[in-house]
Amino acid sequence: MDYGIDISSWQGSSIGWPAVKGNNISFASVKVTEATGYVNPHVTAQVDGARSVGIHAGGYHYAHPGDVAGQVRHFVANLNARGLLGSGSLWPMLDMEHHTFIGDPNGFIAEFIREFRAQSGRRELLVYANQHWFTRRLRPDEWADDGVILWCAQYNSNPGHVDYSHPRLAIHQHSQEGIVPGFTGFVDRNATIGDWRVGSFVLDGAPAPAPQPSPAPAPSGWVPYVIQPGDTLSGIAARTGTTVAELASRNGIADPDRIYAGKTILIPGGAGGGSGGERYQIRPGDTLSALAVRWGTTVAAIAARNGITNPDYIRTGDWLTRP
């Protein structure tokens, strides 16, 4: 599963992009245009910031009824101005949610796709709507060919699981009140669905940013630890009874002053709570089942170790002790 965000002028331009990247965000769709005249005043800074840390950035258009050709022309011009139709960019996205769409919106979408392809020279387009629209109003089989991927909003806090299915459904917007380091307020959070990965909706198939590799198995007595926001290698060394040099050597860290939240390293065993294993702070998108797979244990074992009565309910920011 890959994680992403979508943002607009509400998020401004003062975003801590290294912290965003450190939260395992690999793609960002940025509002570029709306109707035939509006341009997000922060779009250039937002796109440049995402790209500066290796996040795939793409642009989206917030559609209004009427004048499809004019909206596409406005959208394409502003995508081109920021290099958002170039290799490695996230596919452009058509945002279908405006309340003034009355009646059947499928003709609008089909025409938008045709115009976009004619004016941009690109076939690829993401189409976003909420779960109600997809189940009650939209008919993707009429316009979603192999150059279209679907993006569904359903705020159920269950990343990657939507009460709607379609072979071209790849992205789930699971929260509009997501917490992501680097942002001062809420941000929309997204996750890929099933076997879909971010590389499937990057222009020209440019590979997604390489995930940080897990460290190789270490000698007995060393256990995995997930770096938390605010951690430093010297701080980890001090509380685990080792040295910065030893941690750097064990984990192949070239620059001890640069470590990233979310990356897993090896630390001396027992450092995070004796026989209970290391401590882990729950991040947005985490589930006990996913953590159990990552840690090689079971949901029941994690729940028992941490006194969790409902394994389907965990809260971002709470701490767990690994069994």
Side-chain angles (χ1 to χ4, degrees):
M1 181 179 291
D2 292 321
Y3 296 101
I5 55 175
D6 59 278
I7 59 178
S8 67
S9 62
W10 290 104
Q11 280 73 39
S13 56
S14 298
I15 299 169
W17 286 105
V20 177
K21 175 70 171 180
N23 196 240
N24 291 332
I25 299 300
S26 60
F27 64 94
S29 189
V30 180
K31 183 175 182 177
V32 177
T33 52
E34 180 174 341
T36 57
Y38 174 83
V39 178
N40 172 8
H42 303 293
V43 61
T44 300
Q46 291 172 342
V47 168
D48 290 347
R51 286 172 167 164
S52 72
V53 295
I55 294 175
H56 289 300
Y60 74 85
H61 175 73
Y62 189 86
H64 287 221
D67 195 4
V68 175
Q71 293 189 64
V72 171
R73 186 161 49 250
H74 182 48
F75 185 36
V76 169
N78 281 281
L79 290 173
N80 275 321
R82 293 158 184 87
L84 290 171
L85 292 176
S87 297
S89 296
L90 199 70
W91 286 18
M93 183 256 275
L94 168 63
D95 185 334
M96 293 294 297
E97 60 179 306
H98 199 268
H99 67 279
T100 57
F101 275 99
I102 306 299
D104 187 350
N106 290 280
F108 179 97
I109 298 173
E111 185 178 353
F112 192 100
I113 292 169
R114 288 193 298 270
E115 283 286 345
F116 177 81
R117 290 172 173 175
Q119 294 191 34
S120 70
R122 287 287 189 178
R123 296 188 69 253
E124 305 93 337
L125 195 68
L126 299 165
V127 175
Y128 166 98
N130 61 43
Q131 188 260 357
H132 176 83
W133 276 48
F134 274 117
T135 56
R136 306 287 181 86
R137 304 187 67 184
L138 301 187
R139 298 185 299 277
D141 288 342
E142 297 179 4
W143 40 260
D145 57 19
D146 61 358
V148 173
I149 285 176
L150 308 181
W151 187 334
C152 182
Q154 184 179 14
Y155 305 136
N156 56 9
S157 299
N158 189 12
H161 297 86
V162 182
D163 295 326
Y164 169 74
S165 63
H166 190 277
R168 302 298 296 170
L169 178 61
I171 311 172
H172 174 204
Q173 185 187 82
H174 57 87
S175 175
Q176 63 179 340
E177 296 184 345
I179 301 298
V180 177
F183 290 92
T184 56
F186 293 137
V187 63
D188 293 342
R189 290 195 61 114
N190 303 272
T192 53
I193 295 172
D195 293 331
W196 290 92
R197 291 295 180 268
V198 65
S200 302
F201 41 91
V202 170
L203 292 175
D204 299 322
Q212 295 289 339
S214 297
S220 176
W222 286 65
V223 298
Y225 171 75
V226 179
I227 297 172
Q228 302 300 315
D231 273 344
T232 63
L233 214 56
S234 59
I236 295 171
R239 70 174 184 265
T240 59
T242 187
T243 65
V244 170
E246 179 67 10
L247 286 174
S249 174
R250 295 275 190 191
N251 293 283
I253 298 173
D255 183 354
D257 293 325
R258 293 177 64 86
I259 60 175
Y260 300 93
K263 182 178 179 181
T264 300
I265 62 173
L266 293 167
I267 62 174
S275 60
E278 80 273 15
R279 298 277 286 163
Y280 175 82
Q281 189 173 31
I282 298 170
R283 294 179 290 177
D286 278 342
T287 63
L288 286 195
S289 59
L291 292 174
V293 171
R294 187 188 312 168
W295 290 345
T297 184
T298 65
V299 170
I302 299 173
R305 182 66 181 84
N306 293 276
I308 297 173
T309 57
N310 181 1
D312 294 324
Y313 180 71
I314 58 176
R315 296 183 302 180
T316 298
D318 284 356
W319 288 85
L320 299 174
T321 299
R322 175 173 170 173

